[in-house]
Amino acid sequence: MTVATLTTKRPHVAGPSEPMPRRHARVARAATGAIYLVLAAYVLFPVFWLLVSAGKPTSQLITGDNFQASGFQYLTNLRDLFAFDDGIYGRWLLNTLAYAGLGSVVSVLISAMAGFALAKYRFRGRSTVAGSILAGVMIPTTALVLPIFLLLAEVGLTNNFWGVFAVSLVHPFGVYLCMAFADASVPDEVLEAARIDGASEARIVFRIGLPMMRDGLLTVVLLQFVAIWNNYFLPLVLLSDQTLFPVTVGITNWNLLSRQVPDQYRLVLIGALVATIPLMVGFVAMQRFWRAGLTTGSIK
Amino acid sequence: MTTIPSGVAPSSTLQGGTPRIRPTLQYSARTPWLLLAPFGLLFLAFFAAPLVYAVYQSFTRSVRTGAFATRRTAYAGLANYREVLASPDFHAAVLHVLQYAAVAIPVMLGLSIGVALLIDAALTRWGKAIQFVLFLPYAVPGVIAVVVWGFLYIPQLNPVLERLHGLGLLWDPLASGSLPFSFANINVWMFLGYNVIVMTAALRTVPTEVVEAARMDGASLAVIAWRIKLPLIRQATVLVLIFTLIGAFQLFNEPQILRGVGADVDGAYTPNLLAYTYAFANNDYAMAATVSIILTVATAVASFAVMRLVNRAARA
């Protein structure tokens, strides 16, 4: 039996350094590669399909000729997308940007304050508060959407930008993450030293504590941004005025419409592509923060 | 920003009263509550209050009384709960959720654990790349993913399905028997990458010495994966299991959107869709609230039960 010599040292990674016949190792590697290829094809196919189909005329979409190499008309489709119904799509995009952009920043600020308080202060009632926020993590928001609608209807806040905006600020998981980040990245000694030097609590929180959590907070901003950008059930239930819709609700409405008006398919596809690209780009650009956030939330 | 500002005069911004020199290491009891206030108030308004209000609604019923048949709300006891739990619509909805879970949970768990073990075994240098590619669909807004898959489930529009049909494999993803698979596929596509990241992160915490020692003893990669790594990533497995389970209970987007493109789905296909139909097709808010409460309780109980079961099994 030949003992493999492929014991290349790979720190931190459980590498294939155990004795294994070289031929077996090669087969295992080829099989792994093949599995990765199949998985990548599965994951990328719908994205590729959307990318290609979004540039096609309705005639090719309906007949299923959308994978033909000819007939691309991205610019026409884009122009029609933003011209349709007095530019309602642009309005939806701006709404989504407002809900997600403004919402994620405000949400992370209030979550960070709450998380910092729970992690770094000892006070009576602390465990009760932390406990109810953790219970909130377990309760899925979709189950709450209808009750929220009923409650907001009582106070006349349905079909209102600020109604949707305010509800999407509440993200118990964000507070939980901020608690973990404060715990991990803000040493008590620093806060104590600041207090000895006579810094005010406001200064300690906003100038010392939160800045030390910067990387973690950025992760929470990203998570929140995507969560609000993806929001569908909440705005679907709360809003009826289409000028307030985020892009998700608008596109699905068009999708329903396209059963009667086939030319709408074209706009659904190019609209779906335009709504997806910013997030994809953001993901690729900010990979580092994603990993940090996902793993902090899960290992504990 | 780790420098500590020194020589700053003690301020009273968060204390209200007269400025005073604080003894070291003390802070006003109000400080943490002020920090908690913004989130806390929103949490009370949009999390706790709706829950309480829904519970209240679920015990009421709108009745018409008097000569003018004016509507008024009356206490209904458990009547709404009895009605929901006895309704065939609700039974069908629960059955659909169970069918979906029976497909989605094993596929999601199996694939995410399998792929994570492959990446962790580091047989190729492509682990990081595949991890990233699998994660990409997470950037596609959920409903847009459903809309796109809705197109791909129509054979004329999907070259792969079209090929299969050409070969005589007439599989219709939108037929009622296929729906649990079609819905599960969309969710696996969206969340597999997320779960793989969770699993690989957990695998990285498996001590290298333990794995090395097993290798010295001549254990194969498969044995190491099964006997050493799997038991050590129990926590992450439970997490993925609970996420998938909650996803099953909450199923809404897929049936609601694919209904529009011809899937064999009615307005009571899942409990969430049933609640939506009660509220907006029937204007029966009490019944909608009842379904929401049942759903919330069922989700919490199921998550809790899974955690307990797995932990007990681990101790035994």
Side-chain angles (χ1 to χ4, degrees), chain A residues 15 29 42 61 142 207 259, chain B residues 1 123 157 185 215 250 260:
Chain A
R29 233 176 305 153
Y42 164 69
L61 288 175
T142 45
R207 304 298 294 275
R259 295 201 88 188
Chain B
M1 268 301 293
L123 294 167
L157 298 185
N185 169 56
R215 265 187 209 138
Q250 304 303 312

Side-chain angles (χ1 to χ4, degrees), chain A residues 14-15 17-18 29 42-43 49 61 64 122 142-143 154 198 200 202 207 230 232 259 265 279 287 291 294-295, chain B residues 1 5 8 11 14 27 51 53 120 123 131-132 139 141 143 151 156-157 185 189 194 201 215 250 256 260 296:
Chain A
S17 54
E18 101 274 30
R29 233 176 305 153
Y42 164 69
V43 163
W49 184 90
L61 288 175
R122 299 286 160 264
T142 45
E154 296 277 319
S200 71
R207 304 298 294 275
N230 287 351
Y232 171 67
R259 295 201 88 188
Y265 275 138
L279 282 190
Q287 250 200 90
R291 270 170 223 260
L294 295 182
T295 48
Chain B
M1 268 301 293
V8 182
S11 114
L14 286 170
Y27 40 80
L51 211 56
Y53 185 60
D120 193 63
L123 294 167
Q131 202 182 16
F132 181 67
V143 286
F151 284 112
Q156 302 92 284
L157 298 185
N185 169 56
W189 185 78
Y194 183 103
R215 265 187 209 138
Q250 304 303 312
Q256 207 252 354
T296 307

